[in-house]
Amino acid sequence: MAVQEDQVVGISYTLWDGEGEELESRGDDEPFHYLHGHANIVPGLEEELSGLEEGDEFDVELAPEDAYGEYDESFLYRINREDIPSGMELKPGMPLELAPEGQEGMRMLVYVKEVAGDEVVLDGNQPLAGKHLRFKGKVVEMRDATDEEVEHGHAHTGQHHH
Ligand code: ZN
């Protein structure tokens, strides 16, 4: 059986950025599960895993366009400190959930980029946008997805619960 669309695949991996700094690691005993062919993972990694079999190893370097995309300056927002609850301590890198005005039920995840006096700069880019990444790991296990998983577009093994 090879990794293909509608397979739930469990991989172990270590992720480094372009400077060689380790960002994440998952061992063989705690694989990360995803549904193949549904853009659950970055496109370059999904392509690399296609056709691999259980036990196969991979080691791939991805440019930003094959990973989390280029960094986009237009996703930077400047707001007043007073628009954020005052008890909240703001630190660079901290995630914040915003509810844009006039868009019922919408939530936007942004990161604090900079706090300069009364002004806060928020960054709507994915934290790994613009970065070169290296994934090295192994296909630990795989199985056919259930109809429900295919319908939902994600795996139900692992951290995903309804
Ligand atoms: Zn689901």
Side-chain angles (χ1 to χ4, degrees):
M1 192 161 73
V3 174
Q4 56 188 292
E5 197 172 324
D6 297 343
Q7 294 281 325
V8 171
V9 184
I11 57 171
S12 60
Y13 68 90
T14 303
L15 167 62
W16 295 270
D17 67 13
E19 278 79 54
E21 189 189 338
E22 185 178 316
L23 303 175
E24 275 176 45
S25 189
R26 296 283 290 250
D28 290 0
D29 55 343
E30 44 154 20
F32 167 76
H33 292 89
Y34 76 97
L35 178 62
H36 195 82
H38 292 256
N40 289 179
I41 58 174
V42 298
L45 181 60
E46 187 156 55
E47 192 184 324
E48 179 71 16
L49 293 171
S50 275
L52 295 188
E53 298 187 15
E54 215 168 280
D56 280 353
E57 297 186 351
F58 54 89
D59 187 353
V60 62
E61 290 181 33
L62 303 178
E65 66 261 32
D66 298 318
Y68 289 95
E70 299 290 351
Y71 188 84
D72 189 339
E73 299 264 343
S74 70
F75 293 159
L76 293 178
Y77 310 96
R78 290 166 194 282
I79 64 170
N80 286 319
R81 177 66 183 85
E82 61 192 22
D83 290 339
I84 293 174
S86 57
M88 216 177 213
E89 196 193 345
L90 298 174
K91 285 185 199 150
M94 189 178 133
L96 277 182
E97 233 181 34
L98 297 187
E101 258 175 68
Q103 296 183 49
E104 200 68 34
M106 259 273 282
R107 287 286 182 281
M108 202 171 80
L109 185 64
V110 299
Y111 297 83
V112 176
K113 188 175 173 68
E114 203 183 324
V115 183
D118 288 344
E119 192 182 71
V120 180
V121 183
L122 300 176
D123 191 345
N125 284 286
Q126 212 282 346
L128 296 178
K131 288 186 189 287
H132 286 255
L133 300 177
R134 178 185 176 201
F135 286 93
K136 183 177 188 295
K138 189 166 98 179
V139 177
V140 176
E141 58 197 15
M142 69 176 101
R143 61 171 170 81
D144 293 330
T146 64
D147 290 345
E148 192 186 42
E149 286 173 321
V150 172
E151 195 181 311
H152 290 192
H154 53 232
H156 287 165
T157 304
Q159 59 286 84
H160 189 86
H161 298 289
H162 288 283

